[in-house]
Amino acid sequence: MEFGKGSVEGMAMKFSFWNGRRVLITGHTGFKGSWLSLWLHKLNAEVIGYSLSPPTKPSLYDLAKVGKKVVSIHGDVRDRDSLLATIQKYRPEVIFHMAAQSLVKKSFLDPVGTFETNIMGTVNLLEAVRHVDSARVVVNVTSDKCYANREWVWGYRENDPMGGVDPYSSSKGCSELITSAFRESYFNTGYCGQRKVAVASVRAGNVIGGGDWAEDRLIPDCIRAIMNNKPIYIRYPDAVRPWQHVLEPLFGYLLLARRLHEDGPNSSGGWNFGPNDSDSKTVRWMVNHIVNIWGGNARWEIDQGNKVYEANYLKLDCSKARSILGWYPQWNLTQSLVNTIKWYKSYFGNEDMLESTLNQIDSYQVTLGHNVG
């Protein structure tokens, strides 16, 4: 296996790559960005975050005190000058671009803001990289919804066409095309200051995990309903999604960034990081298990109100990441749900959420050690 070479020691060597590495994360105040910031801090990386304020209250960023573990810069990726100045000042070697408007429903309400953030934010980041000679690796985090969805029963591969019917999905498809254009025009050729930069895009499934408080997302909606002793209302119970714990794709991003650093543009391009086929489940399956794991008066009903378009069936083919990186999911969906519910129960039990979050990262790394030993 690429990440372990068959031993726990090999896995530790892979993680040692991050020791002292200077890393910029855009969108570090968001759900995935906060988890990645804490994990990289734990690996002794020098983390610089560039983002607007946390998008929700409460937020994982605030609860886990992420701002005390990283250099946190308040900034908007739509502000090209500010973003460039930050990269010029801190000179990161690795950049994870995660800043985005990430909600489908919100994209219907604010298509202009969605396109500005997800399209021009990507342009501004890649243009800044053109003018700063420190960056060697850029990983643009998009979405599985970047693909032109044909409602296929098989998974989408990295070379399938980009698309998107709703503004959010379309913006992510555009972000992919922009990344490809910059990569081929500037970075793979060495035209950017006569140096090559390894630029990749990553597409993950529906991530779950503690600390997600976004509106119109399944887990946060379930938690809010349960804590208010109300039914969980579900719009599309038979929609199938590739569910996975947030640490699964983040581990893939870490593995990929290391390979990009070693292999350069040869490993550039798109990469899928999704769950096993057996963990592509319906929303109905998910809420039934959430209700059972939580217990008490948790319950759900079908929402008969206004609905917006959402793809019914979506799955990723992750053969590329498995065969080249040796990456594969460590926790099945039931384990992921148990750990997610455990995090929220810790929060409502007034526990130290930095400790609780780091403990889950520890637990995941232990699983990695067991699986490669």
Side-chain angles (χ1 to χ4, degrees):
M1 295 177 186
E2 161 66 21
F3 67 79
K5 300 295 184 185
S7 71
V8 177
E9 291 78 11
M11 183 197 68
M13 289 177 63
K14 293 297 181 183
F15 279 136
S16 69
F17 165 80
W18 297 101
N19 186 29
R21 193 78 57 183
R22 186 165 295 183
V23 181
L24 174 73
I25 303 173
T26 69
H28 71 296
T29 62
F31 167 56
K32 288 178 74 174
S34 292
W35 275 98
L36 181 59
S37 296
L38 288 177
W39 199 348
L40 282 168
H41 169 75
K42 184 178 179 63
L43 297 176
N44 296 315
E46 297 180 26
V47 182
I48 302 98
Y50 180 93
S51 182
L52 295 174
S53 300
T56 63
K57 289 188 179 297
S59 69
L60 176 59
Y61 178 82
D62 289 329
L63 293 174
K65 303 178 179 65
V66 178
K68 295 183 178 180
K69 303 299 181 183
V70 305
V71 175
S72 187
I73 308 299
H74 185 274
D76 192 327
V77 290
R78 293 173 293 184
D79 186 338
R80 186 183 308 167
D81 292 339
S82 173
L83 182 57
L84 174 59
T86 298
I87 296 176
Q88 287 176 328
K89 178 179 179 180
Y90 291 98
R91 298 182 56 77
E93 191 174 351
V94 178
I95 298 175
F96 292 98
H97 179 47
M98 308 183 84
Q101 194 298 97
S102 59
L103 301 175
V104 173
K105 185 174 181 180
K106 185 176 179 179
S107 77
F108 282 99
L109 301 173
D110 183 18
V112 174
T114 299
F115 284 120
E116 286 179 341
T117 300
N118 295 354
I119 293 177
M120 289 310 300
T122 303
V123 170
N124 291 339
L125 184 281
L126 293 173
E127 178 65 8
V129 171
R130 283 214 305 134
H131 298 286
V132 179
D133 63 5
S134 64
R136 292 186 57 185
V137 172
V138 178
V139 177
N140 180 26
V141 180
T142 64
S143 169
D144 59 346
K145 296 178 180 62
C146 68
Y147 292 105
N149 197 329
R150 309 302 186 196
E151 301 288 348
W152 288 331
V153 296
W154 54 85
Y156 291 88
R157 294 183 176 180
E158 286 85 352
N159 57 356
D160 281 326
M162 298 293 101
V165 174
D166 59 273
Y168 169 75
S169 302
S170 175
S171 74
K172 287 301 187 179
C174 289
S175 179
E176 289 279 354
L177 295 174
I178 290 163
T179 303
S180 178
F182 268 83
R183 180 172 56 241
E184 298 304 322
S185 297
Y186 303 109
F187 302 128
N188 280 7
T189 62
Y191 180 80
C192 179
Q194 300 305 308
R195 69 188 173 90
K196 294 185 178 181
V197 183
V199 178
S201 57
V202 291
R203 306 136 187 189
N206 285 38
V207 297
I208 64 174
D212 187 2
W213 300 97
E215 294 182 4
D216 298 306
R217 281 172 56 86
L218 182 63
I219 299 295
D221 285 350
C222 289
I223 299 301
R224 281 188 284 266
I226 290 170
M227 296 313 299
N228 290 317
N229 197 27
K230 294 181 178 180
I232 301 166
Y233 287 104
I234 302 302
R235 296 188 300 270
Y236 300 99
D238 296 317
V240 178
R241 295 287 183 268
W243 311 97
Q244 59 188 330
H245 194 275
V246 63
L247 292 176
E248 303 281 18
L250 292 185
F251 179 51
Y253 304 168
L254 294 175
L255 278 179
L256 175 59
R258 183 185 187 280
R259 185 177 184 92
L260 290 167
H261 191 276
E262 295 175 342
D263 200 31
N266 293 330
S267 294
S268 295
W271 295 78
N272 289 340
F273 295 97
N276 293 320
D277 286 351
S278 59
D279 285 333
S280 289
K281 299 290 189 181
T282 64
V283 173
R284 186 189 304 273
W285 186 97
M286 288 287 288
V287 291
N288 280 333
H289 279 69
I290 291 168
V291 165
N292 290 335
I293 293 169
W294 192 280
N297 293 323
R299 60 201 187 280
W300 70 276
E301 299 176 6
I302 295 178
D303 185 354
Q304 302 295 344
N306 293 329
K307 300 180 180 181
V308 297
Y309 170 82
E310 290 185 26
N312 183 59
Y313 198 92
L314 187 59
K315 190 166 63 171
L316 295 175
D317 184 322
C318 303
S319 302
K320 180 179 176 180
R322 289 170 180 263
S323 62
I324 297 177
L325 300 178
W327 174 90
Y328 63 92
Q330 305 297 308
W331 288 345
N332 63 36
L333 187 50
T334 299
Q335 290 173 297
S336 299
L337 280 172
V338 167
N339 280 299
T340 299
I341 298 303
K342 180 180 179 181
W343 190 99
Y344 285 105
K345 287 196 171 185
S346 295
Y347 166 70
F348 289 111
N350 295 315
E351 297 181 19
D352 183 326
M353 297 318 299
L354 172 59
E355 181 180 355
S356 295
T357 306
L358 291 176
N359 283 344
Q360 291 210 348
I361 294 173
D362 282 337
S363 177
Y364 185 83
Q365 291 190 179
V366 169
T367 304
L368 286 172
H370 287 164
N371 285 345
V372 301

